[in-house]
Amino acid sequence: AVAGSTVELGCSAQGDPMPRVQWHKERGDLPWGRHEVDREQTLRLYAVTPTDAGTYVCTAQSQLGTAAAAARLHV
């Protein structure tokens, strides 16, 4: 990604009951005040900086178990 741009990372989880989805960053926190997660569980990072680079993990959890997917961001 280009510094200053907005990045979107998608996460699709389905099930019955619907799993709870959470995003986190490995080795750090999500950028405070510069991120949001929408209804479709897409993580948006605004005005990215080089410190935002890293691995972001989407975790879906329900009574039936847990699944996770990771995406690596380079700025």
Short mmCIF file of all heavy atoms in Angstrom, two decimals:
data_model
loop_
_atom_site.label_atom_id
_atom_site.label_comp_id
_atom_site.label_asym_id
_atom_site.label_seq_id
_atom_site.Cartn_x
_atom_site.Cartn_y
_atom_site.Cartn_z
N ALA A 1 0.85 -1.19 0.00
CA ALA A 1 0.00 0.00 0.00
C ALA A 1 0.89 1.24 0.00
O ALA A 1 2.02 1.21 0.48
CB ALA A 1 -0.90 0.01 1.22
N VAL A 2 0.37 2.30 -0.51
CA VAL A 2 1.06 3.58 -0.52
C VAL A 2 0.76 4.32 0.78
O VAL A 2 -0.40 4.37 1.21
CB VAL A 2 0.61 4.42 -1.73
CG1 VAL A 2 1.24 5.79 -1.71
CG2 VAL A 2 0.91 3.70 -3.02
N ALA A 3 1.78 4.87 1.41
CA ALA A 3 1.58 5.65 2.64
C ALA A 3 0.54 6.73 2.41
O ALA A 3 0.55 7.39 1.37
CB ALA A 3 2.90 6.25 3.11
N GLY A 4 -0.37 6.89 3.36
CA GLY A 4 -1.42 7.89 3.26
C GLY A 4 -2.71 7.36 2.67
O GLY A 4 -3.74 8.02 2.73
N SER A 5 -2.67 6.17 2.08
CA SER A 5 -3.86 5.62 1.43
C SER A 5 -4.74 4.86 2.44
O SER A 5 -4.37 4.66 3.59
CB SER A 5 -3.47 4.69 0.28
OG SER A 5 -2.81 3.54 0.78
N THR A 6 -5.91 4.43 1.97
CA THR A 6 -6.82 3.61 2.75
C THR A 6 -6.69 2.17 2.27
O THR A 6 -6.67 1.92 1.07
CB THR A 6 -8.28 4.09 2.59
OG1 THR A 6 -8.38 5.42 3.10
CG2 THR A 6 -9.25 3.19 3.32
N VAL A 7 -6.61 1.25 3.20
CA VAL A 7 -6.48 -0.17 2.89
C VAL A 7 -7.71 -0.90 3.40
O VAL A 7 -8.19 -0.64 4.50
CB VAL A 7 -5.20 -0.75 3.55
CG1 VAL A 7 -5.13 -2.26 3.37
CG2 VAL A 7 -3.97 -0.09 2.98
N GLU A 8 -8.23 -1.83 2.59
CA GLU A 8 -9.35 -2.66 3.00
C GLU A 8 -8.92 -4.12 3.00
O GLU A 8 -8.37 -4.60 2.01
CB GLU A 8 -10.54 -2.49 2.06
CG GLU A 8 -11.17 -1.12 2.12
CD GLU A 8 -12.43 -1.03 1.28
OE1 GLU A 8 -12.77 -2.00 0.57
OE2 GLU A 8 -13.09 0.02 1.34
N LEU A 9 -9.18 -4.82 4.10
CA LEU A 9 -8.90 -6.24 4.22
C LEU A 9 -10.22 -6.94 4.50
O LEU A 9 -10.87 -6.66 5.51
CB LEU A 9 -7.90 -6.50 5.35
CG LEU A 9 -6.54 -5.81 5.23
CD1 LEU A 9 -5.71 -6.06 6.48
CD2 LEU A 9 -5.81 -6.29 4.00
N GLY A 10 -10.60 -7.84 3.62
CA GLY A 10 -11.88 -8.52 3.76
C GLY A 10 -11.77 -9.79 4.59
O GLY A 10 -10.73 -10.43 4.67
N CYS A 11 -12.89 -10.14 5.22
CA CYS A 11 -12.97 -11.36 6.02
C CYS A 11 -14.39 -11.90 5.90
O CYS A 11 -15.34 -11.23 6.29
CB CYS A 11 -12.64 -11.07 7.48
SG CYS A 11 -12.68 -12.53 8.52
N SER A 12 -14.53 -13.08 5.33
CA SER A 12 -15.85 -13.66 5.13
C SER A 12 -16.01 -14.89 6.02
O SER A 12 -15.23 -15.84 5.91
CB SER A 12 -16.03 -14.05 3.66
OG SER A 12 -17.28 -14.66 3.47
N ALA A 13 -16.99 -14.84 6.91
CA ALA A 13 -17.26 -15.98 7.78
C ALA A 13 -18.75 -16.25 7.78
O ALA A 13 -19.56 -15.33 7.87
CB ALA A 13 -16.78 -15.68 9.20
N GLN A 14 -19.10 -17.52 7.63
CA GLN A 14 -20.50 -17.90 7.61
C GLN A 14 -20.72 -19.07 8.56
O GLN A 14 -19.78 -19.80 8.87
CB GLN A 14 -20.92 -18.31 6.21
CG GLN A 14 -20.80 -17.20 5.19
CD GLN A 14 -21.13 -17.66 3.79
OE1 GLN A 14 -21.41 -18.82 3.57
NE2 GLN A 14 -21.10 -16.74 2.85
N GLY A 15 -21.95 -19.25 8.98
CA GLY A 15 -22.28 -20.36 9.85
C GLY A 15 -23.60 -20.15 10.53
O GLY A 15 -24.21 -19.09 10.44
N ASP A 16 -24.06 -21.17 11.21
CA ASP A 16 -25.31 -21.10 11.97
C ASP A 16 -25.06 -21.81 13.29
O ASP A 16 -24.91 -23.03 13.30
CB ASP A 16 -26.44 -21.78 11.19
CG ASP A 16 -27.78 -21.60 11.86
OD1 ASP A 16 -27.88 -20.74 12.76
OD2 ASP A 16 -28.73 -22.32 11.50
N PRO A 17 -24.91 -21.07 14.36
CA PRO A 17 -25.11 -19.62 14.48
C PRO A 17 -23.96 -18.84 13.81
O PRO A 17 -22.87 -19.38 13.62
CB PRO A 17 -25.10 -19.38 15.98
CG PRO A 17 -24.26 -20.49 16.53
CD PRO A 17 -24.52 -21.68 15.64
N MET A 18 -24.26 -17.60 13.47
CA MET A 18 -23.27 -16.75 12.81
C MET A 18 -22.07 -16.55 13.73
O MET A 18 -22.23 -16.22 14.90
CB MET A 18 -23.90 -15.39 12.48
CG MET A 18 -23.05 -14.55 11.58
SD MET A 18 -22.87 -15.35 9.99
CE MET A 18 -22.52 -13.97 8.98
N PRO A 19 -20.86 -16.80 13.23
CA PRO A 19 -19.68 -16.63 14.09
C PRO A 19 -19.39 -15.16 14.41
O PRO A 19 -19.77 -14.26 13.66
CB PRO A 19 -18.54 -17.22 13.26
CG PRO A 19 -19.04 -17.31 11.88
CD PRO A 19 -20.52 -17.29 11.91
N ARG A 20 -18.74 -14.96 15.54
CA ARG A 20 -18.29 -13.62 15.94
C ARG A 20 -16.92 -13.40 15.31
O ARG A 20 -16.04 -14.25 15.42
CB ARG A 20 -18.19 -13.55 17.47
CG ARG A 20 -17.94 -12.14 17.98
CD ARG A 20 -17.90 -12.13 19.50
NE ARG A 20 -16.49 -12.13 19.89
CZ ARG A 20 -15.94 -12.99 20.71
NH1 ARG A 20 -16.62 -13.95 21.26
NH2 ARG A 20 -14.65 -12.91 21.00
N VAL A 21 -16.75 -12.28 14.63
CA VAL A 21 -15.50 -11.99 13.91
C VAL A 21 -14.75 -10.87 14.62
O VAL A 21 -15.35 -9.86 15.00
CB VAL A 21 -15.80 -11.61 12.45
CG1 VAL A 21 -14.54 -11.16 11.73
CG2 VAL A 21 -16.45 -12.78 11.72
N GLN A 22 -13.46 -11.08 14.78
CA GLN A 22 -12.60 -10.05 15.37
C GLN A 22 -11.32 -9.92 14.55
O GLN A 22 -10.83 -10.91 14.00
CB GLN A 22 -12.22 -10.42 16.81
CG GLN A 22 -13.37 -10.36 17.77
CD GLN A 22 -12.91 -10.63 19.19
OE1 GLN A 22 -12.26 -11.64 19.45
NE2 GLN A 22 -13.23 -9.72 20.08
N TRP A 23 -10.81 -8.70 14.48
CA TRP A 23 -9.54 -8.42 13.81
C TRP A 23 -8.51 -8.04 14.85
O TRP A 23 -8.81 -7.37 15.84
CB TRP A 23 -9.71 -7.23 12.86
CG TRP A 23 -10.31 -7.56 11.54
CD1 TRP A 23 -11.62 -7.44 11.19
CD2 TRP A 23 -9.62 -8.06 10.39
NE1 TRP A 23 -11.80 -7.83 9.89
CE2 TRP A 23 -10.58 -8.21 9.38
CE3 TRP A 23 -8.30 -8.38 10.12
CZ2 TRP A 23 -10.26 -8.67 8.11
CZ3 TRP A 23 -7.97 -8.84 8.86
CH2 TRP A 23 -8.95 -8.98 7.87
N HIS A 24 -7.27 -8.44 14.62
CA HIS A 24 -6.16 -7.94 15.42
C HIS A 24 -4.89 -7.93 14.57
O HIS A 24 -4.85 -8.54 13.51
CB HIS A 24 -5.97 -8.76 16.72
CG HIS A 24 -5.37 -10.10 16.51
ND1 HIS A 24 -6.11 -11.22 16.20
CD2 HIS A 24 -4.08 -10.52 16.56
CE1 HIS A 24 -5.30 -12.27 16.09
NE2 HIS A 24 -4.07 -11.86 16.30
N LYS A 25 -3.91 -7.23 15.07
CA LYS A 25 -2.62 -7.17 14.39
C LYS A 25 -1.61 -7.96 15.21
O LYS A 25 -1.55 -7.81 16.43
CB LYS A 25 -2.15 -5.72 14.26
CG LYS A 25 -0.83 -5.57 13.52
CD LYS A 25 -0.39 -4.11 13.45
CE LYS A 25 0.93 -3.99 12.72
NZ LYS A 25 1.47 -2.64 12.81
N GLU A 26 -0.87 -8.83 14.53
CA GLU A 26 0.20 -9.55 15.23
C GLU A 26 1.28 -8.54 15.61
O GLU A 26 1.62 -7.65 14.83
CB GLU A 26 0.80 -10.62 14.33
CG GLU A 26 -0.07 -11.84 14.16
CD GLU A 26 0.62 -12.93 13.36
OE1 GLU A 26 1.73 -12.72 12.84
OE2 GLU A 26 0.02 -14.01 13.25
N ARG A 27 1.82 -8.68 16.78
CA ARG A 27 2.89 -7.80 17.26
C ARG A 27 2.53 -6.33 17.21
O ARG A 27 3.26 -5.51 16.68
CB ARG A 27 4.18 -8.04 16.48
CG ARG A 27 4.69 -9.44 16.61
CD ARG A 27 6.04 -9.60 15.92
NE ARG A 27 6.38 -10.98 15.80
CZ ARG A 27 6.23 -11.70 14.69
NH1 ARG A 27 5.77 -11.15 13.59
NH2 ARG A 27 6.55 -12.97 14.67
N GLY A 28 1.36 -5.99 17.72
CA GLY A 28 0.96 -4.59 17.77
C GLY A 28 -0.53 -4.44 17.85
O GLY A 28 -1.28 -5.41 17.85
N ASP A 29 -0.96 -3.19 17.91
CA ASP A 29 -2.37 -2.87 17.99
C ASP A 29 -2.86 -2.34 16.65
O ASP A 29 -2.08 -1.82 15.86
CB ASP A 29 -2.62 -1.80 19.06
CG ASP A 29 -2.23 -2.28 20.45
OD1 ASP A 29 -2.49 -3.46 20.77
OD2 ASP A 29 -1.67 -1.47 21.22
N LEU A 30 -4.17 -2.44 16.45
CA LEU A 30 -4.77 -1.78 15.29
C LEU A 30 -4.56 -0.28 15.45
O LEU A 30 -4.55 0.22 16.58
CB LEU A 30 -6.26 -2.10 15.21
CG LEU A 30 -6.62 -3.56 14.93
CD1 LEU A 30 -8.13 -3.76 15.02
CD2 LEU A 30 -6.11 -3.99 13.57
N PRO A 31 -4.35 0.44 14.36
CA PRO A 31 -4.07 1.88 14.47
C PRO A 31 -5.22 2.63 15.16
O PRO A 31 -6.33 2.68 14.66
CB PRO A 31 -3.91 2.35 13.02
CG PRO A 31 -4.10 1.17 12.15
CD PRO A 31 -4.38 -0.01 12.98
N TRP A 32 -4.94 3.18 16.33
CA TRP A 32 -5.95 3.84 17.13
C TRP A 32 -6.51 5.06 16.39
O TRP A 32 -5.76 5.91 15.92
CB TRP A 32 -5.35 4.27 18.47
CG TRP A 32 -6.41 4.59 19.46
CD1 TRP A 32 -7.05 3.71 20.29
CD2 TRP A 32 -6.97 5.87 19.72
NE1 TRP A 32 -7.97 4.37 21.03
CE2 TRP A 32 -7.95 5.70 20.71
CE3 TRP A 32 -6.75 7.14 19.20
CZ2 TRP A 32 -8.71 6.75 21.20
CZ3 TRP A 32 -7.51 8.18 19.67
CH2 TRP A 32 -8.47 7.99 20.66
N GLY A 33 -7.85 5.09 16.27
CA GLY A 33 -8.51 6.22 15.62
C GLY A 33 -8.44 6.23 14.11
O GLY A 33 -8.94 7.14 13.47
N ARG A 34 -7.78 5.21 13.51
CA ARG A 34 -7.63 5.19 12.06
C ARG A 34 -8.09 3.86 11.46
O ARG A 34 -7.64 3.47 10.39
CB ARG A 34 -6.18 5.46 11.65
CG ARG A 34 -5.70 6.84 11.98
CD ARG A 34 -4.31 7.12 11.41
NE ARG A 34 -3.29 6.24 11.98
CZ ARG A 34 -2.68 5.26 11.32
NH1 ARG A 34 -2.96 5.01 10.08
NH2 ARG A 34 -1.78 4.52 11.93
N HIS A 35 -8.97 3.15 12.17
CA HIS A 35 -9.48 1.90 11.61
C HIS A 35 -10.96 1.73 11.94
O HIS A 35 -11.47 2.34 12.89
CB HIS A 35 -8.69 0.69 12.12
CG HIS A 35 -9.08 0.26 13.50
ND1 HIS A 35 -8.57 0.84 14.63
CD2 HIS A 35 -9.95 -0.69 13.92
CE1 HIS A 35 -9.10 0.26 15.69
NE2 HIS A 35 -9.95 -0.67 15.29
N GLU A 36 -11.63 0.92 11.14
CA GLU A 36 -13.01 0.55 11.43
C GLU A 36 -13.28 -0.80 10.80
O GLU A 36 -12.58 -1.23 9.88
CB GLU A 36 -14.00 1.59 10.91
CG GLU A 36 -14.14 1.62 9.41
CD GLU A 36 -15.23 2.58 8.93
OE1 GLU A 36 -15.95 3.16 9.75
OE2 GLU A 36 -15.33 2.75 7.71
N VAL A 37 -14.29 -1.49 11.34
CA VAL A 37 -14.74 -2.76 10.79
C VAL A 37 -16.21 -2.58 10.45
O VAL A 37 -17.01 -2.20 11.31
CB VAL A 37 -14.55 -3.91 11.80
CG1 VAL A 37 -15.06 -5.22 11.22
CG2 VAL A 37 -13.08 -4.05 12.20
N ASP A 38 -16.58 -2.85 9.18
CA ASP A 38 -17.96 -2.64 8.77
C ASP A 38 -18.80 -3.90 8.98
O ASP A 38 -18.33 -4.90 9.51
CB ASP A 38 -18.04 -2.13 7.33
CG ASP A 38 -17.57 -3.14 6.30
OD1 ASP A 38 -17.48 -4.35 6.61
OD2 ASP A 38 -17.31 -2.74 5.16
N ARG A 39 -20.07 -3.84 8.57
CA ARG A 39 -21.00 -4.96 8.77
C ARG A 39 -20.57 -6.24 8.06
O ARG A 39 -20.92 -7.33 8.47
CB ARG A 39 -22.39 -4.58 8.26
CG ARG A 39 -23.11 -3.62 9.13
CD ARG A 39 -24.48 -3.39 8.57
NE ARG A 39 -25.26 -2.52 9.43
CZ ARG A 39 -26.50 -2.20 9.21
NH1 ARG A 39 -27.11 -2.68 8.14
NH2 ARG A 39 -27.14 -1.40 10.03
N GLU A 40 -19.82 -6.09 6.98
CA GLU A 40 -19.33 -7.25 6.23
C GLU A 40 -18.01 -7.77 6.78
O GLU A 40 -17.36 -8.59 6.17
CB GLU A 40 -19.19 -6.91 4.74
CG GLU A 40 -20.50 -6.77 4.00
CD GLU A 40 -21.19 -5.44 4.29
OE1 GLU A 40 -20.48 -4.40 4.36
OE2 GLU A 40 -22.42 -5.43 4.47
N GLN A 41 -17.59 -7.22 7.94
CA GLN A 41 -16.36 -7.61 8.62
C GLN A 41 -15.09 -7.20 7.86
O GLN A 41 -14.02 -7.76 8.07
CB GLN A 41 -16.32 -9.12 8.91
CG GLN A 41 -17.54 -9.64 9.63
CD GLN A 41 -17.89 -8.86 10.89
OE1 GLN A 41 -17.01 -8.36 11.58
NE2 GLN A 41 -19.16 -8.75 11.19
N THR A 42 -15.21 -6.21 6.97
CA THR A 42 -14.05 -5.67 6.27
C THR A 42 -13.33 -4.69 7.20
O THR A 42 -13.95 -3.79 7.76
CB THR A 42 -14.48 -4.95 4.98
OG1 THR A 42 -15.10 -5.90 4.12
CG2 THR A 42 -13.29 -4.32 4.27
N LEU A 43 -12.03 -4.88 7.34
CA LEU A 43 -11.21 -3.97 8.14
C LEU A 43 -10.69 -2.87 7.22
O LEU A 43 -10.11 -3.15 6.18
CB LEU A 43 -10.03 -4.72 8.77
CG LEU A 43 -8.97 -3.87 9.47
CD1 LEU A 43 -9.56 -3.18 10.69
CD2 LEU A 43 -7.78 -4.72 9.85
N ARG A 44 -10.93 -1.61 7.61
CA ARG A 44 -10.42 -0.46 6.86
C ARG A 44 -9.39 0.25 7.71
O ARG A 44 -9.65 0.57 8.87
CB ARG A 44 -11.55 0.50 6.53
CG ARG A 44 -12.22 0.19 5.25
CD ARG A 44 -13.20 1.29 4.80
NE ARG A 44 -14.13 0.70 3.86
CZ ARG A 44 -15.21 0.01 4.22
NH1 ARG A 44 -15.52 -0.14 5.47
NH2 ARG A 44 -15.98 -0.52 3.30
N LEU A 45 -8.24 0.49 7.11
CA LEU A 45 -7.17 1.25 7.76
C LEU A 45 -7.01 2.54 6.98
O LEU A 45 -6.77 2.51 5.77
CB LEU A 45 -5.87 0.45 7.75
CG LEU A 45 -5.92 -0.96 8.34
CD1 LEU A 45 -4.62 -1.69 8.07
CD2 LEU A 45 -6.20 -0.90 9.82
N TYR A 46 -7.13 3.67 7.67
CA TYR A 46 -7.05 4.97 7.02
C TYR A 46 -5.67 5.59 7.19
O TYR A 46 -5.04 5.42 8.22
CB TYR A 46 -8.11 5.92 7.61
CG TYR A 46 -9.52 5.43 7.40
CD1 TYR A 46 -10.23 4.82 8.42
CD2 TYR A 46 -10.13 5.57 6.16
CE1 TYR A 46 -11.53 4.37 8.22
CE2 TYR A 46 -11.43 5.12 5.94
CZ TYR A 46 -12.12 4.52 6.98
OH TYR A 46 -13.40 4.07 6.78
N ALA A 47 -5.24 6.32 6.17
CA ALA A 47 -3.97 7.07 6.21
C ALA A 47 -2.84 6.19 6.73
O ALA A 47 -2.17 6.52 7.71
CB ALA A 47 -4.13 8.33 7.05
N VAL A 48 -2.63 5.06 6.07
CA VAL A 48 -1.63 4.10 6.55
C VAL A 48 -0.23 4.71 6.55
O VAL A 48 0.09 5.56 5.73
CB VAL A 48 -1.65 2.79 5.74
CG1 VAL A 48 -2.94 2.03 5.95
CG2 VAL A 48 -1.36 3.00 4.28
N THR A 49 0.56 4.26 7.51
CA THR A 49 1.95 4.68 7.65
C THR A 49 2.82 3.43 7.67
O THR A 49 2.30 2.32 7.85
CB THR A 49 2.17 5.47 8.96
OG1 THR A 49 2.01 4.56 10.06
CG2 THR A 49 1.18 6.63 9.09
N PRO A 50 4.12 3.57 7.54
CA PRO A 50 4.99 2.39 7.60
C PRO A 50 4.83 1.59 8.89
O PRO A 50 5.03 0.38 8.90
CB PRO A 50 6.39 2.98 7.47
CG PRO A 50 6.18 4.21 6.63
CD PRO A 50 4.87 4.77 7.11
N THR A 51 4.45 2.22 10.00
CA THR A 51 4.27 1.48 11.25
C THR A 51 3.04 0.58 11.21
O THR A 51 2.91 -0.31 12.05
CB THR A 51 4.15 2.43 12.46
OG1 THR A 51 3.04 3.28 12.28
CG2 THR A 51 5.42 3.26 12.65
N ASP A 52 2.15 0.79 10.23
CA ASP A 52 0.97 -0.08 10.09
C ASP A 52 1.31 -1.38 9.37
O ASP A 52 0.49 -2.30 9.35
CB ASP A 52 -0.14 0.65 9.32
CG ASP A 52 -0.66 1.86 10.07
OD1 ASP A 52 -0.70 1.82 11.31
OD2 ASP A 52 -1.03 2.85 9.41
N ALA A 53 2.48 -1.47 8.77
CA ALA A 53 2.87 -2.69 8.08
C ALA A 53 2.90 -3.85 9.06
O ALA A 53 3.21 -3.68 10.24
CB ALA A 53 4.23 -2.52 7.43
N GLY A 54 2.53 -5.02 8.57
CA GLY A 54 2.57 -6.20 9.43
C GLY A 54 1.48 -7.18 9.02
O GLY A 54 0.87 -7.06 7.96
N THR A 55 1.24 -8.16 9.89
CA THR A 55 0.26 -9.20 9.63
C THR A 55 -1.01 -8.92 10.42
O THR A 55 -0.96 -8.71 11.64
CB THR A 55 0.82 -10.58 10.02
OG1 THR A 55 2.02 -10.79 9.27
CG2 THR A 55 -0.16 -11.68 9.72
N TYR A 56 -2.13 -8.91 9.72
CA TYR A 56 -3.44 -8.70 10.31
C TYR A 56 -4.21 -10.01 10.26
O TYR A 56 -4.19 -10.72 9.25
CB TYR A 56 -4.20 -7.60 9.56
CG TYR A 56 -3.58 -6.24 9.79
CD1 TYR A 56 -2.45 -5.84 9.07
CD2 TYR A 56 -4.08 -5.37 10.74
CE1 TYR A 56 -1.85 -4.61 9.30
CE2 TYR A 56 -3.50 -4.13 10.97
CZ TYR A 56 -2.38 -3.76 10.25
OH TYR A 56 -1.81 -2.55 10.49
N VAL A 57 -4.86 -10.34 11.37
CA VAL A 57 -5.52 -11.63 11.50
C VAL A 57 -7.01 -11.44 11.77
O VAL A 57 -7.40 -10.68 12.66
CB VAL A 57 -4.90 -12.47 12.63
CG1 VAL A 57 -5.58 -13.82 12.75
CG2 VAL A 57 -3.40 -12.65 12.40
N CYS A 58 -7.81 -12.14 10.99
CA CYS A 58 -9.26 -12.18 11.16
C CYS A 58 -9.59 -13.52 11.81
O CYS A 58 -9.22 -14.57 11.29
CB CYS A 58 -9.93 -12.06 9.79
SG CYS A 58 -11.68 -12.45 9.81
N THR A 59 -10.29 -13.49 12.95
CA THR A 59 -10.67 -14.71 13.66
C THR A 59 -12.18 -14.79 13.75
O THR A 59 -12.83 -13.83 14.18
CB THR A 59 -10.06 -14.73 15.08
OG1 THR A 59 -8.65 -14.57 14.98
CG2 THR A 59 -10.38 -16.03 15.80
N ALA A 60 -12.74 -15.92 13.32
CA ALA A 60 -14.18 -16.17 13.41
C ALA A 60 -14.39 -17.27 14.44
O ALA A 60 -13.75 -18.32 14.38
CB ALA A 60 -14.73 -16.60 12.06
N GLN A 61 -15.30 -17.01 15.40
CA GLN A 61 -15.50 -17.96 16.48
C GLN A 61 -16.99 -18.17 16.72
O GLN A 61 -17.77 -17.22 16.74
CB GLN A 61 -14.83 -17.43 17.75
CG GLN A 61 -14.87 -18.38 18.91
CD GLN A 61 -14.04 -17.85 20.08
OE1 GLN A 61 -13.74 -16.66 20.15
NE2 GLN A 61 -13.67 -18.72 20.98
N SER A 62 -17.37 -19.43 16.89
CA SER A 62 -18.74 -19.78 17.27
C SER A 62 -18.69 -20.99 18.18
O SER A 62 -17.60 -21.49 18.51
CB SER A 62 -19.59 -20.08 16.03
OG SER A 62 -19.26 -21.36 15.52
N GLN A 63 -19.84 -21.50 18.55
CA GLN A 63 -19.92 -22.69 19.40
C GLN A 63 -19.25 -23.88 18.73
O GLN A 63 -18.79 -24.80 19.39
CB GLN A 63 -21.37 -23.06 19.68
CG GLN A 63 -22.21 -21.96 20.26
CD GLN A 63 -23.69 -22.29 20.16
OE1 GLN A 63 -24.08 -23.29 19.59
NE2 GLN A 63 -24.51 -21.43 20.73
N LEU A 64 -19.20 -23.86 17.42
CA LEU A 64 -18.67 -24.99 16.66
C LEU A 64 -17.16 -24.98 16.50
O LEU A 64 -16.57 -25.96 16.07
CB LEU A 64 -19.34 -25.05 15.29
CG LEU A 64 -20.87 -25.15 15.32
CD1 LEU A 64 -21.43 -25.09 13.91
CD2 LEU A 64 -21.31 -26.41 16.04
N GLY A 65 -16.54 -23.86 16.82
CA GLY A 65 -15.09 -23.79 16.70
C GLY A 65 -14.59 -22.43 16.28
O GLY A 65 -15.33 -21.45 16.26
N THR A 66 -13.31 -22.40 15.92
CA THR A 66 -12.64 -21.15 15.56
C THR A 66 -11.87 -21.34 14.26
O THR A 66 -11.28 -22.39 14.04
CB THR A 66 -11.65 -20.74 16.68
OG1 THR A 66 -12.37 -20.59 17.90
CG2 THR A 66 -10.96 -19.44 16.36
N ALA A 67 -11.90 -20.30 13.42
CA ALA A 67 -11.12 -20.30 12.19
C ALA A 67 -10.44 -18.94 12.08
O ALA A 67 -10.99 -17.93 12.54
CB ALA A 67 -12.01 -20.55 10.97
N ALA A 68 -9.26 -18.91 11.48
CA ALA A 68 -8.53 -17.65 11.35
C ALA A 68 -7.87 -17.58 9.98
O ALA A 68 -7.55 -18.59 9.38
CB ALA A 68 -7.46 -17.53 12.45
N ALA A 69 -7.71 -16.35 9.51
CA ALA A 69 -7.01 -16.08 8.25
C ALA A 69 -6.14 -14.85 8.47
O ALA A 69 -6.50 -13.96 9.24
CB ALA A 69 -8.00 -15.87 7.11
N ALA A 70 -5.02 -14.80 7.78
CA ALA A 70 -4.08 -13.69 7.95
C ALA A 70 -3.77 -13.03 6.62
O ALA A 70 -3.80 -13.67 5.57
CB ALA A 70 -2.79 -14.20 8.59
N ALA A 71 -3.49 -11.74 6.68
CA ALA A 71 -3.07 -10.97 5.51
C ALA A 71 -1.87 -10.12 5.91
O ALA A 71 -1.84 -9.57 7.02
CB ALA A 71 -4.20 -10.08 5.01
N ARG A 72 -0.90 -10.03 5.02
CA ARG A 72 0.31 -9.24 5.31
C ARG A 72 0.22 -7.91 4.56
O ARG A 72 -0.03 -7.89 3.36
CB ARG A 72 1.54 -10.02 4.85
CG ARG A 72 2.82 -9.31 5.11
CD ARG A 72 3.67 -10.06 6.13
NE ARG A 72 4.93 -9.37 6.32
CZ ARG A 72 5.23 -8.70 7.41
NH1 ARG A 72 4.40 -8.65 8.40
NH2 ARG A 72 6.39 -8.09 7.52
N LEU A 73 0.44 -6.84 5.29
CA LEU A 73 0.40 -5.50 4.71
C LEU A 73 1.81 -4.92 4.64
O LEU A 73 2.53 -4.91 5.63
CB LEU A 73 -0.49 -4.58 5.55
CG LEU A 73 -0.54 -3.12 5.15
CD1 LEU A 73 -1.15 -2.95 3.75
CD2 LEU A 73 -1.32 -2.30 6.17
N HIS A 74 2.19 -4.46 3.44
CA HIS A 74 3.45 -3.76 3.24
C HIS A 74 3.12 -2.33 2.88
O HIS A 74 2.29 -2.06 2.02
CB HIS A 74 4.23 -4.39 2.07
CG HIS A 74 4.58 -5.83 2.28
ND1 HIS A 74 5.72 -6.22 2.94
CD2 HIS A 74 3.94 -6.96 1.94
CE1 HIS A 74 5.76 -7.53 2.99
NE2 HIS A 74 4.69 -8.02 2.39
N VAL A 75 3.76 -1.37 3.55
CA VAL A 75 3.52 0.05 3.28
C VAL A 75 4.83 0.65 2.80
O VAL A 75 5.86 0.50 3.44
CB VAL A 75 3.02 0.79 4.53
CG1 VAL A 75 2.79 2.27 4.22
CG2 VAL A 75 1.74 0.15 5.06
#
